Amino acid sequence: MSCATGSKELISHTAEFLLKNKPWLVLTGAGVSTESGIPDFRSPGSGLWQRYDPMEVLSTDTLFRDPETFYRVGFYILRQFKHARPNLSHYLLAEWEKRGLVHTLVTQNIDSLHTISGSQRVLEIHGHLRTAHCMRCEKTVPLDRVEKEVDGGEIPPKCQCGGVLRPDVVLFGDLLPSCFEEAMEFARRMPLLVIGSSLQVSPANFIPFAAHQVVIVNIGVTPFDARSDYVLNGKASEILRGLNEEMKKQQPTV
Ligand code: APR
């Protein structure tokens, strides 16, 4: 089924479906953070990858071959994400976890906004911007230290052991952390609610294929729409607010 945001009937049916099949796994993408002022990657006209080539600025190849470009351009892009604050979607997802509606939240986002807004069980399959590690001795340091070194002209930033420091985000060319396998396992066991992702990037977009039931909340179309049980097109905060009100109406005790 699919519809535009305004369809109260679809919000009501989706809320009924979600209540009947709780708890769910949630998969979020950059679209859940655009209302916090962080641009997403592929929205026509505003997406970051309309302006930069990710393979050129945020890949492991660039980190090793051209650390100047990596730290001057790619790292600069990432640092913009650090100052955003959670929006209504983040807070509702944290509340839904407390109410036993969300089992676990898998995010492709590196902005930590789900953790900051109170979600406890968060799988950051593309890493995060809180720390960096040395590629020689593997020591972990706060990302602020790397920012200070880069701002002071130390490129690439170095560890005391002389090794190069790199942020703990998953770059193009990296393998995903082990929490990706955990996410796939959860997807096999419960319905999946996808919010704010174009589902263009693998292996994150394998997750919906593992799920038996899928609900998508997104402004744009995704390659998975036709296979989903419900597709609600529109702004995440508006749709999640609508679902929240409808779920409270249908089951006030949840
Ligand atoms: N509400 C709902 N959907 C939104 C909103 C919003 N407020 N804002 C944007 N969107 C939708 C867009 O229409 C788009 O389909 O969110 C989707 C974001 O898609 P992408 O920009 O491709 O982001 P994402 O799916 O998270 O990208 C996955 O690609 O470059 C890598 O590592 C990067 O984690 C990222 C991965």
Side-chain angles (χ1 to χ4, degrees):
M1 288 178 81
S2 69
C3 84
T5 314
S7 157
K8 284 211 175 313
E9 187 193 354
L10 187 69
I11 292 269
S12 171
H13 287 169
T14 309
E16 188 183 352
F17 170 85
L18 289 171
L19 285 171
K20 197 159 135 260
N21 296 284
K22 67 181 182 304
W24 344 296
L25 180 69
V26 173
L27 169 64
T28 63
V32 89
S33 295
T34 53
E35 293 171 66
S36 294
I38 299 178
D40 67 13
F41 298 98
R42 296 174 182 83
S43 275
S46 59
L48 278 168
W49 300 153
Q50 319 261 307
R51 285 171 272 163
Y52 302 97
D53 174 352
M55 301 311 284
E56 273 311 305
V57 296
L58 277 174
S59 66
T60 47
D61 179 52
T62 304
L63 171 64
F64 301 137
R65 182 178 43 79
D66 180 3
E68 192 75 24
T69 299
F70 178 86
Y71 278 103
R72 290 248 179 267
V73 184
F75 189 56
Y76 175 77
I77 295 170
L78 295 180
R79 292 171 71 174
Q80 311 313 305
F81 296 178
K82 275 191 68 174
H83 307 295
R85 304 304 305 151
N87 64 61
L88 176 63
S89 297
H90 296 103
Y91 288 115
L92 279 176
L93 288 166
E95 182 193 318
W96 289 355
E97 179 188 78
K98 290 189 184 66
R99 286 161 51 191
L101 295 167
V102 170
H103 179 279
T104 298
L105 192 152
V106 186
T107 188
Q108 301 170 86
N109 302 339
I110 58 175
D111 54 35
S112 301
L113 293 183
H114 287 302
T115 314
I116 293 168
S117 54
S119 288
Q120 304 287 314
R121 283 191 304 282
V122 181
L123 303 178
E124 294 174 310
I125 58 172
H126 287 174
H128 56 79
L129 278 172
R130 297 184 293 276
T131 56
H133 70 271
C134 172
M135 293 196 282
R136 179 185 292 171
C137 71
E138 301 202 345
K139 182 175 170 214
T140 295
V141 298
L143 197 85
D144 303 351
R145 165 149 162 226
V146 176
E147 291 183 288
K148 276 199 193 80
E149 291 201 15
V150 169
D151 292 344
E154 166 97 13
I155 291 184
K158 293 278 179 55
C159 171
Q160 274 114 341
C161 78
V164 172
L165 293 167
R166 59 153 288 176
D168 286 329
V169 293
V170 173
L171 300 173
F172 288 91
D174 275 333
L175 291 175
L176 262 60
S178 57
C179 62
F180 171 70
E181 278 316 314
E182 228 181 314
M184 288 296 284
E185 191 40 47
F186 284 132
R188 293 183 190 103
R189 289 173 20 205
M190 62 189 81
L192 176 70
L193 171 58
V194 183
I195 308 168
S197 178
S198 63
L199 294 176
Q200 301 274 337
V201 172
S202 57
N205 62 4
F206 294 177
I207 295 172
F209 284 99
H212 300 291
Q213 298 160 307
V214 178
V215 174
I216 293 184
V217 173
N218 204 50
I219 287 179
V221 294
T222 81
F224 212 85
D225 288 358
R227 300 166 61 111
S228 299
D229 297 82
Y230 297 90
V231 176
L232 293 87
N233 292 129
K235 274 176 81 171
S237 61
E238 288 170 13
I239 294 177
L240 297 192
R241 184 193 288 118
L243 286 172
N244 194 49
E245 285 161 7
E246 190 56 33
M247 287 194 291
K248 281 193 172 163
K249 211 187 317 176
Q250 291 180 21
Q251 273 189 31
T253 50
V254 169

